[in-house]
Structure formats: structure tokens, C-alpha cells
Amino acid sequence: MAMSRLEEELIHMLVKHKQQSEPTYMPSPSSQRNVVYNESVVSLDNESAKEASSKTSCSDECGQYIVDLVPEHVIPDIKSIAKVMFASDYGQEFCEAFIGVRKEALEQHFDILENGKLSIEDVLKMEWCSLSTEMNKWTWSMKIIFGVYLMSEKRLCDQVLGEFGSVNSFCFLEIAKTTILCLLNFGEAIAMGPQEPEKLLRLLDMYETLADLVIDIDALFSEDGGSFVRLEFHKLLEGLADSVKAAFNAFGVAVSSNGSLYPFPGGGVHPLSKYVMNYISMFPEYCRTLNLLLEDQHSDVANLVSEPQCGPTASLSTSCPMACHLRSITSSLESNLHKKSKLYKDEALQHIFLMNNLHYMVQKVKGSELRPFFGDEWIRKHNAKFQQHEMNYERVTWSSVVLLLKDDNPGSSSLSKSAFKEKCKGFSVAFEEVYKNQTSWCIPDPQLREDLRISTSLKVVHAYRTFLGRNPAHVDDKCIKHTVEDVEKLLLDLFEGSPRSLRNSRRMMKT
Amino acid sequence: MDTQEQELEDIELFQKHVSDRFTELSSPPEDDALLSVSWLHRLLDVFLCCEAEFEAILIMDRDPSQLSKPPFDRLIPEFIERAVKALDICNAVANGVDSVRHCQKLSEIVISALDQNPLGDGHAKRAKKALLMLLSAMNLDDKEGTHVKATERSWSFGRRGVNKEQIAGHFRSLSWQVAKNWSSAKQIQSMIYNLVAPRGAEASGLPSPIYTMNVIMIFVMWALVAAIPCQERNGLPTHFPVPKQLNWAHSLIGLQEKIADEWKKKEKKGMSGLLDELQKMEKLAQSLIDFTDSFHFPGDAEKVKEAAANVSELKEIFGRMDQGLTPLQMHIREVFHRIVRSRTEFLDVLEKGSAPVL
């Protein structure tokens, strides 16, 4: 029968030429990843291990690429077969064959993208690392499938079936259905899931990708038959928007509720500070989306933020919704850090801790894309804060020590021997006490450490030198345990993070 | 009337409604045979109504903390888990409807071919090919369809004759999988697992409608899977552990037994869905293929007449499918979205209920 022969030829042509024209544009998602870390906030206390995980930087350059799914020269032949078959009322057979081959081709492309076929149950139960990978794959696949393959497929359908009316869009829909439903399903499963803080960036990627593609989806499925596709993806977009908001809120809650049972040893930069600052430093990339989604929550937050950015230094970026939320988060972090500092019995260490952490926060803001959102005003204020803690530390630690060296009787000449001895001893004991305690404390930032040493040194060494200088007669006495140089050297041991006792260092100095 | 009395009244009313609705489903009018497309629509409507009432009873005007205490701290999460399983079934069935639409398309070819006067040899041959495709599409084991590799497929309706491997390849619609190794039968089984009717004091309180809704959900999903071919239905359970003494359950159990009987009969022959239209289509296809096989122009007048009658019946079925299948898919999506929403509501309630009072 002539028709069957035609059919055979059609299919043969489609299959043969399908294989020959794999599009050359196939960049892999892995070429675009920056390694950033992600971790869960839950078990942060006293933990140091962080897992690095990759993030796709969602390249905006993936626009539409229309490729020739079937070589140009074959199309007229296919068209003529179509004409004949439709004219002889064999249109249905043509469609069946055409849909069959094209659908398979599309699914092969989809398989290459390696989207795991996952049930909703699977997705809801998946652990974070795997889920993160799947979300990346989804984001990538959406761009490729809609931006490249479906665009091209639509063009092919238009070329072949353009003159046969609604058959065209019917065939296109049938070809595309399975693949897009698979993508839709995963998206829906994600939107249903619990929205933990660590999901935020992946969710933003997914949302942004879909938001960009939704116009294309509307265009591709503009006819009645495709209305449910448009509807479902619009619904999904809303669902993802809600998910982003939920994850963002969860992040805020996690920051403020992160509790500690024990004080953080050494008083250095707390893992919570690191987590929060590093995490939020990735938000500016999603500024446009976050501003859009967080807008309705803006008004509540703006009131909570303790440093309103009005005045001459205020700009659009510091007053946008995302900026307000960011400051609210760091404000939460500060409160939390204050709570944590109260766990230290030693008041001086409380100040060191707060100084370290606030300084870290400022450095992070200054050295990243966060700067325009926090603004100079915020930086100034927080600089002042940690400097205040610096001064408090000095006061708490050294004032009493220095007081011991004070001249009770200004104007009189040097002290009696016993008075001198007493003062010397008092100073040594106090100094050694501080030494013993504070060598195990930590100031991670070298600049800050140096600053504190210098300022301490100025105070203490100066006072000691003055004291000894006022009593030259007793200088050779054995009661002087430490020389001025000793004191200077010993001060350098402070804040190194490794506890020392003076016996060790004396032994070291003698050799 | 105090709240507890009101609650008992609400529960009773709910269960009466359930009973009524399923009784209605049990005695369908002519056009609405059991497991036909329109019957399935009604089944889904029943589900949506029951679900709405159920949610109202459980959530409206209720202090969330009540639902976080035993036994609800176990019952509600269990319900939510079953709901998630139901979602995957909704997807599998909605996609299974695609394979039924494929059959519908094939039958359209048959109708085009045979709806001719006078009928020629060419027409008969064309019809025969389409009929062969149709029959194997309907009897294809759900498993086979999903595992056929692309290289084995050939898309020709062609003269070379149609053998099973080639036909298997044509069953394109089953290429959608919920997940690897996912089985709708196993899914139903796991939904039934641990389903225990409340006893004693619990039987007259809130646990009772929760149990009822669980049963309804499982039944609806089960019926859908039985009717529509979808991924891996081998081993579909045919027995539900619903105690017969429950008043509201009588009609439901009756329906379940009827459908289960049909299933057992069909299980031996092949795996086409129990969908009424599909069953009828199969019978018509069988007799038509005999006809086309033996047809030579101008053909036996008696037989031609018979065939024409079959074709017009086929046309009717086609019409019902054409009208009802796509809406069925939409209806299933509606159920899907409702279950998603309901799950979210329940999760919210649980969260609120367990939040510490500050």
C-alpha cells in the first residue's frame, strides 16, 4: 500500500536524520560551578567541620538557542509526505509516527541531562547533598529543555505541520508532554518540602530560572490545549516563591535561636558568625529576586532594624527590602552573640569574644558584595562597637594591674624596700595570672591581635617601666622577677590561642 | 450543645455523607457503568467532597495543640505520609490516561478506515493494522512498555508485518516513569500497611473520621490504578482490611469487592485497565479484527452489517473518551493539588500545636 510505504519512508527519514544532527551546544553544568560551602545551622555549636558543596552560578547568558533537530534539506521532503498523507486522510498515521520519533528524540536528550526519575516520596525523603545536586540539575535542565530543545521542536513542528491547523500544536504538546511533566513534578515536590535554611540558594536558582522561562512557556503553549501547562508552571512559580520566603524566614529563626550550652573556647570567631556572614555574602547575587519576594515582608522588618538608614548616607541599596532583612539578620546574630558571651565567667573574655566577632562581621561586610547594602554608616557604627569592646577588655584586665604600680605618694622620693617588694610581687602575681589565663585566648585576626598587643603594651609596659624608673635603688634586687623586656616579650604570647605557663616560657628564655 | 457533642454530631454527619455518596456510586445509571470515564469523574468528586468535610471537622475552630497529643501525634503524620504516596499515584494515573488516549487515537484510525460505504480492501487493511496496534497496546504488560530500549523500537506500521517487539516499541506513552523500580501496586500496598480501625473509645472520637478518610483515599487511588494502566500494577492487592461492621463502609466495601473480582478475572488474561471504555473497546476490536482478517471486497453482507454496528459502537466509546479523558486528567490534577494543600494545612497545624507556649 502506498500509504504504508510513505509512512515507512517518513519514519526512516526522521530517525536517520535525527541521529545526525545532535546539537553541538551542550555545555555541562559542572563547568559553571563555584565551590562554596553549605552546612546546616542546627548543629553548629563547637563544630568545626564544614562540607564544601558546589553551587551553580546560574548564568543568565543561556538564552534561546534554536538548533536544527533535523537537517534543513530534509524538511521539504517531510512536508511533502505530510501533504500527501493528510490529503489521503492518513493524517492520523502521520501524526502518530511523527510524534513517536520526535518524542523519543526529546526524551533521549532529557536522559543525557541525567535527571534522576524521582517520586515525590523520594524527593521529600532525600538528604541534603543529593537533593542539592538534583536541584542544580533541574535548574540546568529547565534551561536546556525549554530554551533549546522545545524551542527547536516547536519550530520543526511549525515547519512540517504549520498548514494543518490545530494538528500542529497538538503534536507539539504530545511530543513535549512527558518531559515537561517530569520537570514539573520535581519542581512541585521541592515546593512541597520542608524549607530549611540551607535550601535557600538552590531555591533561588530554581525560582529565577523558572521566572525567566515562564514567558517562553507561555509562548510555546499558547493554544488552548496547552493551557494546563501554562497554568501548572505559573502555579509552580508561586510555590517556589513561597518556598524562598519560607527558607529565608527559617534562616532568620535559625540565627536567632541557635543556642549554646557551653562558652566557645578561646573566645575566637564563633562558627555561627562564620556561617551567617559567609551565607549572606552570597545573597547580593540574588538581589533582584530577593527584593521582589521579600517586599511584602519589608514593612515589619524595617521597624525591627535598629539602625535605620535615613540621612545623607542612605541610598537605594541600603534601603531596599533585602538590605533591611540583611541588617535584621546581622542584628539577630549580634543579640545571639551577646547571649553567648554571657556564658563566659570572665568578663574580659566576654569582651574579647564580642570584639572578635563584631570585627569579623565588619570585615566580611567590607570585603564582599554586602558593602553597598550595609552602607558606611553601619560599618562606622560597628567599628565603634568592637573598638568599645577592645577598650572594655583593657579596662577590665589591666586597670587593676596597672593600679598596683601606681605611685601612692607622688612627689616623695622612692619607696621603701618593703613597699617596693610588695608592689613588685603584687604586679608579678597579677601579671602571671593574666598570662596564664589569656595565652589560651584567641584573636584570629592578625591585625586586631597586633593592635591589641600594642595598645596593651603601651599601657602596661609603660607603667612598669615608669614604676621601676621611679625606684632606681631597688632595680638590682632579686625581688624583681621580670624585667621590662621580659614583660614586653611575654605580652606577645597573649591571644595566641595556646595556653602557657610562665615556667615554660622562663625556661625558654633562659636557653 | 457543648463542643464535644457538636463534634460527635459532625462526625456522624460526615460518615453518613460518606455512606450516601458511596451508595450512589454503587448503583450508577446506564451511561455511567462502574469504572467508566464518567464514573471515575464522580469518584473523584466524591473524594473531593469527603476531603473537604474531613478537613473542616479536623481543623476548623480547633485548638492545634489538641492534634499534637496522642493518638493524633501518630495518626496525623501517618495520614500525611499516605497522602504523599497518593500524590505519586495521581501522577502515575494521570500519565496512564495518556496511554488510554493513545488507544483512543488508534481507534480513531480504525473508525476512519471502516466508516466507509462501500468498504474496500484498502480500508480493511488499514483498519487491521490499527486494530493490531490497538489490541497489543491494550494488552501490553505495564512492565514491558517501560523497559523497551530505543534501539529496539521501530516506528513502522509497515508491510513487514507487526510482531510483538515492534509493537512494544510503539507503546510510547508508558515511557514516563514515576521513578525507577516504582510500583503502583506496591505503593497501594504500603498505603494499606498499618491501617488499623480505631477501637474502643477512639472509635467514637476524632480517630474515626481519620480512619474513614484514610480508607477513602486508599480506595480511590486503588480504583484509579485498577482502571487505568500505569506503572507496574502486578500484584495489586485485592483485599482491604476494612471491618464489615462499620456502617458507613458497606457501599464502599461492596464496590471494592466488585472491582476486585473483575481484577482477578482480568489478571489472568492480560493487564489492560479495567476502565469500562477500554474493556468494551477491546471486545469490539477483537470482533473487528476477525472481520478485517477475513474481508474481501465486497464481503459478506451480514458480516459487513455487523461490523458497521461495531464501528458505530466504537464511535460512541471514542466520543466518550474524547470528551472525558482530558478532563479526567485535569480532575486528577485537581485532586493532586487538593491533597498537596491539605497536607500543608495539616503540617501547619502540627507545627502550631507543638510550638512551645512562650
Side-chain angles (χ1 to χ4, degrees):
Chain A
M1 269 228 38
M3 278 303 133
S4 340
R5 250 201 358 126
L6 260 186
E7 232 175 285
E8 263 181 65
E9 241 204 84
L10 163 73
I11 292 161
H12 175 72
M13 226 191 296
L14 282 174
V15 171
K16 172 172 168 213
H17 290 285
K18 162 192 89 160
Q19 277 148 4
Q20 282 173 359
S21 59
E22 297 297 328
T24 51
Y25 168 83
M26 261 302 246
S28 78
S30 52
S31 61
Q32 294 186 19
R33 287 178 192 191
N34 310 316
V35 176
V36 227
Y37 76 88
N38 84 83
E39 62 182 277
S40 96
V41 189
V42 173
S43 52
L44 265 188
D45 196 41
N46 297 328
E47 269 178 38
S48 51
K50 320 238 182 305
E51 276 177 344
S53 148
S54 32
K55 160 204 174 218
T56 25
S57 68
C58 261
S59 47
D60 303 311
E61 10 91 353
C62 186
Q64 295 175 15
Y65 290 83
I66 299 197
V67 296
D68 279 338
L69 296 169
V70 172
E72 285 262 14
H73 66 91
V74 175
I75 304 222
D77 294 334
I78 300 182
K79 267 187 95 163
S80 50
I81 295 182
K83 271 210 181 88
V84 173
M85 286 182 80
F86 271 89
S88 342
D89 202 29
Y90 269 68
Q92 291 127 343
E93 274 95 337
F94 179 87
C95 289
E96 282 287 299
F98 184 73
I99 293 172
V101 178
R102 292 316 312 156
K103 188 174 156 124
E104 203 184 316
L106 181 64
E107 281 158 21
Q108 278 174 344
H109 289 307
F110 188 53
D111 280 340
I112 293 174
L113 294 168
E114 277 177 14
N115 283 275
K117 295 234 166 78
L118 298 163
S119 68
I120 295 181
E121 234 188 318
D122 290 337
V123 172
L124 291 179
K125 293 198 176 125
M126 214 178 235
E127 48 92 24
W128 171 234
C129 256
S130 317
L131 193 60
S132 170
T133 310
E134 292 298 324
M135 288 166 91
N136 276 341
K137 276 198 229 156
W138 185 91
T139 305
W140 181 251
S141 300
M142 285 290 287
K143 288 183 192 174
I144 296 289
I145 294 290
F146 281 99
V148 180
Y149 289 117
L150 286 182
M151 286 290 176
S152 313
E153 204 66 59
K154 181 91 201 248
R155 190 181 69 149
L156 180 64
C157 285
D158 285 342
Q159 285 173 320
V160 172
L161 296 165
E163 48 192 86
F164 299 112
S166 63
V167 171
N168 182 5
S169 54
F170 168 78
C171 286
F172 175 67
L173 185 60
E174 289 300 307
I175 292 170
K177 217 183 205 181
T178 301
T179 306
I180 60 185
L181 286 180
C182 190
L183 288 167
L184 180 69
N185 185 47
F186 180 81
E188 284 176 332
I190 293 291
M192 276 171 66
Q195 307 306 356
E196 291 114 1
E198 57 263 27
K199 289 188 183 163
L200 182 58
L201 298 177
R202 288 301 97 80
L203 286 169
L204 281 164
D205 287 335
M206 285 174 75
Y207 175 85
E208 283 192 341
T209 301
L210 184 56
D212 287 339
L213 286 171
V214 111
I215 305 173
D216 295 333
I217 295 175
D218 283 347
L220 283 171
F221 298 96
S222 52
E223 272 104 45
D224 282 343
S227 65
F228 85 94
V229 173
R230 301 196 303 270
L231 218 75
E232 293 287 349
F233 276 101
H234 276 276
K235 247 192 217 144
L236 177 60
L237 189 65
E238 273 178 42
L240 287 175
D242 289 338
S243 299
V244 166
K245 290 182 210 172
F248 195 88
N249 283 334
F251 177 56
V253 167
V255 172
S256 53
S257 65
N258 176 271
S260 301
L261 287 176
Y262 304 106
F264 184 63
V269 179
H270 197 279
L272 180 65
S273 308
K274 289 189 187 163
Y275 171 79
V276 173
M277 297 314 291
N278 282 319
Y279 203 42
I280 67 174
S281 64
M282 296 193 263
F283 291 4
E285 199 182 319
Y286 301 96
C287 173
R288 189 175 52 110
T289 301
L290 280 173
N291 277 333
L292 181 69
L293 296 179
L294 296 175
E295 202 168 12
D296 49 352
Q297 298 162 296
H298 176 33
S299 48
D300 313 323
V301 170
N303 295 332
L304 295 173
V305 172
S306 47
E307 294 118 44
Q309 300 290 300
C310 340
T313 54
S315 69
L316 212 60
S317 51
T318 53
S319 54
C320 70
M322 184 181 87
C324 294
H325 279 274
L326 285 176
R327 287 196 299 275
S328 152
I329 288 175
T330 50
S331 172
S332 258
L333 177 61
E334 273 180 65
S335 310
N336 198 329
L337 289 169
H338 274 278
K339 263 193 261 166
K340 291 193 197 309
S341 73
K342 297 289 178 237
L343 293 169
Y344 297 112
K345 290 193 214 105
D346 196 326
E347 195 192 329
L349 189 53
Q350 288 179 9
H351 290 296
I352 291 284
F353 176 75
L354 289 171
M355 176 193 77
N356 276 327
N357 283 276
L358 286 167
H359 178 262
Y360 179 82
M361 287 167 70
V362 174
Q363 293 304 102
K364 274 288 162 180
V365 168
K366 274 163 72 171
S368 74
E369 318 246 314
L370 289 170
R371 187 167 189 153
F373 297 99
F374 280 85
D376 292 334
E377 184 69 35
W378 186 94
I379 293 175
R380 252 199 303 276
K381 277 212 170 96
H382 284 71
N383 271 335
K385 280 189 184 179
F386 81 75
Q387 280 157 5
Q388 183 64 48
H389 284 292
E390 228 182 294
M391 294 194 298
N392 287 342
Y393 156 78
E394 278 176 26
R395 179 180 44 82
V396 171
T397 302
W398 296 112
S399 301
S400 50
V401 177
V402 166
L403 207 62
L404 292 169
L405 299 172
K406 199 171 167 201
D407 197 350
D408 299 324
N409 294 316
S412 75
S413 58
S414 47
L415 293 163
S416 68
K417 186 161 184 187
S418 59
F420 181 78
K421 204 170 170 182
E422 215 184 295
K423 281 202 188 254
C424 249
K425 192 165 180 208
F427 176 77
S428 297
V429 165
F431 184 81
E432 283 168 29
E433 186 68 25
V434 171
Y435 185 84
K436 191 179 73 180
N437 284 336
Q438 299 196 4
T439 42
S440 63
W441 296 2
C442 196
I443 298 182
D445 184 79
Q447 189 61 49
L448 197 59
R449 194 163 62 234
E450 197 53 34
D451 284 349
L452 206 64
R453 279 198 196 128
I454 290 174
S455 130
T456 305
S457 194
L458 284 173
K459 214 174 174 169
V460 176
V461 170
H462 174 75
Y464 195 51
R465 189 179 280 125
T466 312
F467 169 73
L468 291 179
R470 267 187 281 116
N471 300 284
H474 306 289
V475 161
D476 295 323
D477 273 357
K478 293 203 189 90
C479 68
I480 300 178
K481 239 178 157 183
H482 310 287
T483 62
V484 174
E485 288 74 31
D486 287 347
V487 169
E488 257 179 335
K489 274 214 189 87
L490 290 172
L491 280 175
L492 293 175
D493 292 339
L494 292 185
F495 314 124
E496 287 291 327
S498 48
R500 297 187 193 210
S501 78
L502 266 172
R503 292 219 180 104
N504 291 341
S505 26
R506 276 167 75 82
R507 229 176 284 135
M508 274 160 58
M509 286 194 307
K510 280 200 166 141
T511 52
Chain B
M1 199 186 310
D2 73 357
T3 45
Q4 199 166 29
E5 269 182 50
Q6 179 69 54
E7 191 176 280
L8 286 172
E9 232 191 62
D10 289 338
I11 293 176
E12 245 186 78
L13 200 61
F14 169 65
Q15 291 179 330
K16 177 170 184 304
H17 287 163
V18 168
S19 176
D20 289 343
R21 289 183 188 127
F22 277 97
T23 307
E24 252 188 74
L25 280 177
S26 304
S27 39
E30 255 311 313
D31 286 341
D32 244 2
L34 195 64
L35 291 186
S36 67
V37 171
S38 45
W39 188 87
L40 288 177
H41 275 290
R42 287 171 60 209
L43 179 68
L44 294 175
D45 275 335
V46 164
F47 175 82
L48 290 169
C49 292
C50 294
E51 203 283 328
E53 239 186 286
F54 170 69
E55 242 189 88
I57 292 181
L58 236 70
I59 300 188
M60 239 160 37
D61 293 336
R62 188 177 297 281
D63 175 13
S65 62
Q66 200 186 349
L67 293 177
S68 322
K69 301 198 190 91
F72 304 109
D73 58 345
R74 174 183 52 93
L75 290 176
I76 302 230
E78 268 179 20
F79 175 76
I80 293 177
E81 254 191 68
R82 289 199 180 93
V84 169
K85 292 186 202 279
L87 289 176
D88 280 321
I89 294 190
C90 283
N91 278 341
V93 171
N95 281 272
V97 174
D98 269 341
S99 66
V100 180
R101 282 170 71 239
H102 184 211
C103 292
Q104 177 202 327
K105 279 285 152 187
L106 288 172
S107 73
E108 196 179 19
I109 298 180
V110 173
I111 295 170
S112 289
L114 293 179
D115 203 20
Q116 311 280 349
N117 204 357
L119 193 62
D121 278 331
H123 300 133
K125 283 217 179 75
R126 183 188 183 197
K128 180 174 168 186
K129 263 176 247 148
L131 283 164
L132 283 170
M133 298 285 309
L134 182 58
L135 280 172
S136 39
M138 288 197 283
N139 284 308
L140 198 64
D141 192 346
D142 314 308
K143 205 176 196 166
E144 273 182 47
T146 58
H147 289 201
V148 173
K149 292 197 203 98
T151 47
E152 291 168 23
R153 295 188 198 192
S154 93
W155 295 98
S156 168
F157 273 70
R159 270 181 281 142
R160 278 172 277 145
V162 197
N163 57 40
K164 200 155 194 229
E165 286 75 40
Q166 286 179 306
I167 292 169
H170 282 284
F171 201 19
R172 54 182 173 84
S173 311
L174 271 194
S175 61
W176 190 89
Q177 286 177 306
V178 172
K180 241 190 242 163
N181 301 325
W182 187 86
S183 154
S184 52
K186 289 212 191 94
Q187 191 89 334
I188 299 276
Q189 229 150 30
S190 71
M191 282 174 84
I192 296 178
Y193 177 71
N194 234 1
L195 184 67
V196 178
R199 281 174 296 207
E202 285 187 358
S204 51
L206 276 182
S208 180
I210 297 181
Y211 176 73
T212 305
M213 196 62 225
N214 271 314
V215 171
I216 295 175
M217 189 162 61
I218 296 175
F219 173 75
V220 171
M221 294 302 131
W222 176 82
L224 286 172
V225 169
I228 312 272
C230 53
Q231 190 173 349
E232 199 50 76
R233 299 181 306 159
N234 265 328
L236 187 69
T238 48
H239 176 67
F240 279 29
V242 181
K244 296 218 162 118
Q245 59 269 33
L246 293 171
N247 314 2
W248 58 264
H250 288 161
S251 306
L252 192 152
I253 295 177
L255 276 172
Q256 191 267 321
E257 284 175 349
K258 244 195 235 163
I259 298 175
D261 278 339
E262 279 300 310
W263 178 263
K264 281 182 226 161
K265 274 190 229 154
K266 283 286 160 177
E267 214 175 358
K268 298 177 193 137
K269 292 195 213 158
M271 262 313 139
S272 80
L274 288 184
L275 185 70
D276 182 62
E277 281 85 354
L278 269 185
Q279 294 293 314
K280 294 207 173 99
M281 201 180 259
E282 199 181 342
K283 283 205 192 90
L284 290 169
Q286 294 282 8
S287 65
L288 280 173
I289 211 172
D290 289 337
F291 169 74
T292 55
D293 236 349
S294 61
F295 179 82
H296 286 292
F297 183 78
D300 183 279
E302 260 312 308
K303 288 210 178 128
V304 168
K305 208 168 157 195
E306 208 187 302
N310 283 341
V311 169
S312 81
E313 241 193 276
L314 192 63
K315 249 198 206 165
E316 225 191 281
I317 297 177
F318 170 84
R320 272 188 259 146
M321 281 188 172
D322 200 32
Q323 289 229 327
L325 281 181
T326 306
L328 186 63
Q329 277 178 318
M330 298 299 113
H331 213 165
I332 296 176
R333 285 301 288 174
E334 203 190 320
V335 166
F336 178 92
H337 285 297
R338 171 74 75 83
I339 298 178
V340 170
R341 248 189 16 235
S342 164
R343 173 183 172 274
T344 308
E345 297 270 352
F346 279 110
L347 283 174
D348 278 345
V349 162
L350 283 179
E351 219 189 286
K352 283 197 198 117
S354 60
V357 179
L358 292 165

